[in-house]
Amino acid sequence: MTEQTSNVDSQETHFSVLLNESLDGLNIKPDGVYIDGTFGRGGHSNALLKRLGENGRLIAIDQDPEAIEYAKQHIHDSRFEIQYGSFEDVKAFCEARGLVGKVDGLLLDLGVSSPQLDDAERGFSFMREGPLDMRMNPEVGLSAKDWLKQVDEKTLKLVLQNYGEERFSGRIAREIKEASERDELQTTLDLADLVKRVSPKTEKNKHPATRTFQAIRIAVNRELDVLKNVLESAVEILAPGGRFSVISFHSLEDRIVKVFIRDQSMIKDLFPDSPIQIEVIEPVLKKIGKPIFPSTEECKQNSRSRSAVLRIAEKL
């Protein structure tokens, strides 16, 4: 008999963003193979396990060592497996298990998890003092502090402009570089206070450092490149009829998902200037429904949901 004793805290399950909508979008088969690319604290994984039968299988991925440890302590279910690493490597994980082209669904809940934001030591929050880190995986790559020391001012300006849509990117980049060279940026509040001090204008109900923190976090973790790569991999690992649900939290992520689904859903003429049709590429995806947004009730219960948008596609 399959052991089914997954014990993720009900509060964290309750606050999983677009929980039912994202799982409904996967059109879950009881005996299917599914991947939760962003385990976090297991809210989506726990709910997905409840929809699987005895022969179903769920592989969860997370690059945060704390999430991996949480999964090992809280989910004891023979249908469940936790994989340490980035969802960027999902194809390699599937290859190792002989699952390329056999996965029935992939779920991605992008962005920073609530436990990461709430833990000042992770360095994601401009409201809590902690080391200037911002890495999803604190064991890999440069911390935000070290990245700011080695990046040049021009590149930093472009990062703030393109990843944070920061209007004052030039001024902020210049001040950050000067402060970094003087070794004055040690904590999250050092950076937040600097941005607040040099920003000529502020938005109502929005901390001046919001865009800067978002931009630096995206750069440190290569978030947009990783997203593009995992979407490409999704097409390869999914079985025909398999689906992916992607929850985004800002326009940059959502635009990538939207454009990818659109492009993969179109017939492509490889030689558009030829007078005769030589070769075309058939679409590989089908868009499922319109983008889905959290209900008013969910936004009241969980403020993190407010900026979320869910997009779903199916492999043809």
Side-chain angles (χ1 to χ4, degrees), residues 6-8 39 45 49 70-77 80:
S6 44
N7 296 315
V8 176
F39 176 79
S45 282
L49 282 170
Y70 187 93
K72 291 177 178 179
Q73 291 181 5
H74 289 79
I75 300 188
H76 307 289
D77 191 314
F80 176 81

Side-chain angles (χ1 to χ4, degrees), residues 80-143:
F80 176 81
E81 179 183 357
I82 186 70
Q83 170 69 55
Y84 176 47
S86 169
F87 60 60
E88 183 179 21
D89 299 321
V90 66
K91 183 181 176 183
F93 298 149
C94 288
E95 286 174 341
R97 296 165 172 83
L99 291 176
V100 173
K102 300 178 181 179
V103 175
D104 295 297
L106 171 66
L107 172 66
L108 299 174
D109 178 5
L110 304 176
V112 185
S113 68
S114 295
Q116 289 171 328
L117 281 172
D118 294 339
D119 183 357
E121 292 301 308
R122 300 302 300 274
F124 288 108
S125 175
F126 45 77
M127 302 298 290
R128 298 177 175 86
E129 185 162 30
L132 196 53
D133 197 314
M134 300 194 197
R135 287 173 293 178
M136 300 288 192
N137 184 343
E139 299 176 354
V140 175
L142 294 174
S143 67

